[in-house]
Amino acid sequence: MKMKYTEPAPISELNPLDSMMERFHEAARILGLDESTYEALKSPEKSVIVNVPVTMDDGHIKVFEGFRVVHSSKLGPSKGGIRYANSVNLDEVKALAAWMTWKCAIVGIPYGGAKGGITCDPRELSPGELERLTRAFTLAMRDVFGPERDIPAPDMGTNPQTMAWIMDEYSQLSGYASPAVVTGKPLVLGGSLGRVEATGRGVMVSTRSAMAKLKMNPSTSTCAVQGFGNVGSISAKLLEMQGLKVCAISDVSGAYYKKGGIDIDAAVEFVEKNKSLEGFKGGKIISNDELLTLDVDVLVPAALEDQITEQNADRIKAKLIVEGANGPTAANADRILNDKGIMVVPDILANAGGVSVSYFEWVQNRLGYFWTEERVNRRADRIMKQAFENVYKASKKYKVSMRTAAYIVAIDKVASTSKLRGIF
Ligand code: GLU
């Protein structure tokens, strides 16, 4: 079918929204998506911006800007995390919301996609300030959030405590406990076993699936993990348990390298005590650029967006990249990585273990019945393996990269659902 829609403008500066749009466009073109569906899926359904006044500890009032973007609710209630970071802006949240739509479609869970964020530095706020900010944000978003409408979860800068405040504030507004309004809650409030580890576990399962296709042996393979937050540290630990040698790790304080493999338990313990890897003696200090271009078999970017770019992609030596973070590769690096024959397991597949177990948490909350960790892990692993196979099959069918294949699988599913529902 001929498409009349205009191509996205060429990318000048790195911007996750442009990167997302570029890949969306490419997959839509290959799928032959009709123009009206393309237009409907291109823009978010809803973008809400709020300014919330918060009383700071010293008594003065500071106003914070917060966002919630619902990209799609075609497959079910919209789902996605809330990010607290200085870099949060509307374009970033829009890209992250669309990625959630594609992610949920790939793993086959009945959710649309959303994302939220507040522009702030959570490390500079006291626990009391964080609580007041989170409650004020929840109040401002009371008509957006809802167990059948839009369900937040943790993301960068937020954690189970943040989710507990959202759950409490929303429940107070409803007049009864409403645990299914957020996922990633502490266990005692209705969180799910396995949720904290779920994203890292999915990264490990995807890595194993990809290594099997590439005939790589885990016990003779090396890897580097960028980022040592929830996703990076758990991915590193689980990959180490699979027999890989984790030669390098990093966080905001720098990157650390040890040829014979970093002791991940020691690094985790160090961060628990010191809040960051600053001063960690279990590896020699290298630069972030050196970490990304190390001579390792597997690279796991699990930190921020736009880390792999046209500036460094050519120097990457890993055979396999598994994207733990959302958007770690800028669209302008895709072709370089493809030309080098590097397999990239894209973010919307590789890190979908988190939202899969969020779905299990929501199901358990609605059932009022809780599963064992073993059941959660078994079901999440099955989802991740199946999603990998579906995307791999599409990559062979359309002769495209795993990334383009992932977008094709996702867009196809959302587009066919929208057509059946006939809502435009
Ligand atoms: N923030 C996570 C993500 O980007 C989890 C979202 C969720 O569980 O809803 O996938």
Side-chain angles (χ1 to χ4, degrees):
M1 184 178 305
K2 197 167 170 325
M3 292 194 303
K4 290 199 281 308
Y5 45 81
T6 45
E7 292 217 10
I11 295 177
S12 45
E13 266 174 56
L14 292 180
N15 172 333
L17 186 58
D18 290 339
S19 281
M20 194 285 294
M21 278 312 299
E22 175 119 338
R23 281 119 175 203
F24 169 69
H25 183 85
E26 166 79 357
R29 188 182 59 75
I30 295 171
L31 260 179
L33 194 69
D34 63 274
E35 193 186 345
S36 48
T37 312
Y38 179 93
E39 289 300 324
L41 294 181
K42 193 172 89 173
S43 317
E45 283 174 17
K46 183 182 340 186
S47 303
V48 182
I49 304 180
V50 292
N51 288 289
V52 288
V54 175
T55 308
M56 307 303 277
D57 289 348
D58 65 6
H60 90 283
I61 288 177
K62 193 169 166 184
V63 179
F64 291 86
E65 192 171 32
F67 310 88
R68 186 73 179 170
V69 172
V70 174
H71 172 262
S72 171
S73 57
K74 301 285 185 291
L75 267 67
S78 51
K79 188 83 189 81
I82 292 181
R83 178 173 285 199
Y84 287 1
N86 268 333
S87 54
V88 165
N89 63 71
L90 185 59
D91 269 2
E92 182 193 55
V93 180
K94 279 185 183 173
L96 289 160
W99 279 326
M100 288 308 304
T101 303
W102 313 139
K103 208 183 285 191
C104 293
I106 288 172
V107 287
I109 57 179
Y111 284 145
K115 201 80 172 198
I118 299 179
T119 313
C120 68
D121 183 349
R123 285 164 308 182
E124 277 177 6
L125 300 174
S126 71
E129 289 167 340
L130 277 171
E131 175 170 356
R132 291 192 290 279
L133 173 62
T134 304
R135 287 185 185 278
F137 180 68
T138 307
L139 193 60
M141 293 292 176
R142 64 187 173 279
D143 294 332
V144 179
F145 297 164
E148 306 291 338
R149 221 167 18 217
D150 176 49
I151 307 145
D155 198 79
M156 260 167 57
T158 56
N159 56 32
Q161 173 64 77
T162 326
M163 299 307 115
W165 291 324
I166 297 178
M167 182 263 184
D168 182 71
E169 190 67 26
Y170 188 85
S171 297
Q172 292 202 38
L173 287 165
S174 313
Y176 50 87
S178 184
V181 70
V182 278
T183 60
K185 296 178 292 294
L187 278 183
V188 285
L189 290 184
S192 175
L193 290 164
R195 176 63 187 88
V196 170
E197 300 80 13
T199 311
R201 189 175 173 89
V203 168
M204 179 273 284
V205 172
S206 310
T207 307
R208 285 298 308 255
S209 299
M211 289 181 88
K213 298 288 181 207
L214 298 172
K215 307 215 167 7
M216 290 163 75
N217 178 355
S219 49
T220 55
S221 296
T222 54
C223 87
V225 180
Q226 184 200 34
F228 211 66
N230 169 279
V231 182
S233 63
I234 290 166
S235 302
K237 180 63 208 162
L238 295 177
L239 289 172
E240 183 191 56
M241 285 168 71
Q242 293 293 312
L244 283 97
K245 211 178 272 173
V246 184
C247 299
I249 56 172
S250 74
D251 71 0
V252 277
S253 73
Y256 304 81
Y257 170 77
K258 189 171 173 192
K259 192 161 183 259
I262 303 240
D263 178 345
I264 303 299
D265 280 338
V268 168
E269 216 172 285
F270 187 91
V271 171
E272 266 164 21
K273 270 198 213 117
N274 304 284
K275 293 218 155 82
S276 88
L277 285 166
E278 177 128 49
F280 178 61
K281 295 282 179 282
K284 91 168 202 262
I285 296 180
I286 58 171
S287 69
N288 183 45
D289 187 68
E290 284 171 305
L291 178 139
L292 293 173
T293 55
L294 271 179
D295 190 6
V296 287
D297 300 302
V298 184
L299 175 63
V300 179
L304 298 168
E305 290 123 36
D306 297 331
Q307 297 300 298
I308 300 174
T309 64
E310 70 189 340
Q311 265 78 47
N312 58 17
D314 197 34
R315 291 179 286 117
I316 287 180
K317 299 184 193 70
K319 301 183 209 38
L320 170 64
I321 298 175
V322 185
E323 297 184 338
N326 289 311
T329 306
N332 63 19
D334 284 351
R335 182 160 307 127
I336 306 173
L337 299 175
N338 290 344
D339 289 349
K340 283 169 69 88
I342 298 173
M343 183 194 267
V344 180
V345 185
D347 45 7
I348 52 175
L349 168 61
N351 71 34
V355 74
S356 300
V357 176
S358 275
Y359 167 57
F360 296 159
E361 180 173 332
W362 180 78
V363 167
Q364 293 171 78
N365 291 155
R366 287 156 49 109
L367 281 174
Y369 174 75
F370 287 87
W371 305 350
T372 61
E373 186 161 5
E374 196 261 325
R375 172 176 284 195
V376 170
N377 288 344
R378 183 162 30 86
R379 291 183 172 182
D381 291 357
R382 191 163 64 209
I383 284 189
M384 291 305 290
K385 282 183 198 156
Q386 188 60 54
F388 184 94
E389 288 307 323
N390 295 347
V391 172
Y392 188 78
K393 231 182 267 157
S395 81
K396 295 289 166 221
K397 177 174 169 196
Y398 292 95
K399 298 191 175 49
V400 292
S401 67
M402 287 288 283
R403 183 179 324 273
T404 304
Y407 277 79
I408 289 178
V409 168
I411 293 171
D412 195 25
K413 170 138 195 212
V414 181
S416 49
T417 310
S418 303
K419 282 216 188 83
L420 282 170
R421 287 184 57 171
I423 28 190
F424 46 71

